[in-house]
Amino acid sequence: MLEHREAITGMSILVAVVDAGSLSAAATKLGMTSSAVSKQVSRLESRLGIRLLQRTTRRMQLTEAGARYCERARSILESIESVEREAESVQDTPHGTLRITAPTVLGQVRVMPVVLAFQRAHPSVKVHVEFSDRRIDLIEEGVDVAIRMTAQPPPAFVARRLGDDRRVLCASPDYLARAGRPRRPGELSNHECIVFVAGQPVETWHLRATENAEHTTPIRVSGRLHVNNTHALRQAALAGLGIADLPRYLVEEDLATGRLETVLERFMPVGRGVFAIYAPAPYVPAKVRRFVEMAEKTFRDGVAEGRTS
């Protein structure tokens, strides 16, 4: 069975490479890395014992054997899709295993309630969840749905918008009493700002005057504390260590109780969209459809905002 699954995966990737015209273009379409695509093609060639693609630094083309194999593979994949579409039309109840990934903090706070509700509604479905800030290859790692924060979702995938990444600049009353309250964005350079680290320190904050404003103002910030986790960022702000750029959903209660106060209320940090992303296919499993529908409703009814960490 595993051998058959590997064969189908190899066929799918080979056809994608041929259709895209290059390994890198196929990798983009599949949501994989170029090296992962190349490895899958090499594995297929090794298993078959024949050369399928003739590759040079300038061009790539099918060998004679590769052309015959690709034609048959395409026919087989079309037959599989047809069988799955027929099965789906009969079975519309979610079943099997659903694999989900999401950024750590957004996942813990906003996605986990969706997972729990889905599990209660569909107890026969096994759910595997990974909350991680690493970039996950959906195809290679067998992920069904990825919740991602992005301004531009990958064009090769289906992306359903769940909400927006609404953010707020805030600080503790203690810090503001000591350091004063900035009145203009440029005054942030005179303040202790808690710097978020996403691979590299994010030392430029992009602000805009209104939610839909196209013009943004880049502001250089600095501070003694750099952290790579949004929960830690909030804790540092609560402790009075400076001004932080935080997702509103995470500090809503802090703002309501006065533990944190907003600064530069007329300006807001530029956010991104929150998307549920999954592979396009004529056959979309019921478990994926139901989970995405539930996520859309939950985010719509609640506050769907946040940044990865």
Side-chain angles (χ1 to χ4, degrees), residues 96-114:
T97 300
L98 179 66
R99 292 175 174 81
I100 304 163
T101 180
T104 303
V105 173
L106 179 67
Q108 292 168 347
V109 179
R110 294 297 297 152
V111 178
M112 197 60 199
V114 183

Side-chain angles (χ1 to χ4, degrees), residues 243-302:
I243 298 173
D245 171 3
L246 283 160
R248 181 172 282 278
Y249 80 85
L250 193 61
V251 296
E252 201 73 69
E253 186 176 340
D254 298 323
L255 296 172
T257 59
R259 291 192 295 266
L260 290 175
E261 297 180 10
T262 59
V263 299
L264 296 172
E265 293 87 349
R266 293 194 305 107
F267 297 86
M268 60 181 63
V270 175
R272 295 163 292 176
V274 184
F275 293 89
I277 295 171
Y278 55 93
Y283 161 75
V284 178
K287 61 186 178 182
V288 172
R289 293 202 316 273
R290 296 288 183 270
F291 178 81
V292 172
E293 288 166 0
M294 190 170 287
E296 286 179 317
K297 183 179 187 306
T298 302
F299 273 68
R300 184 173 61 247
D301 294 345

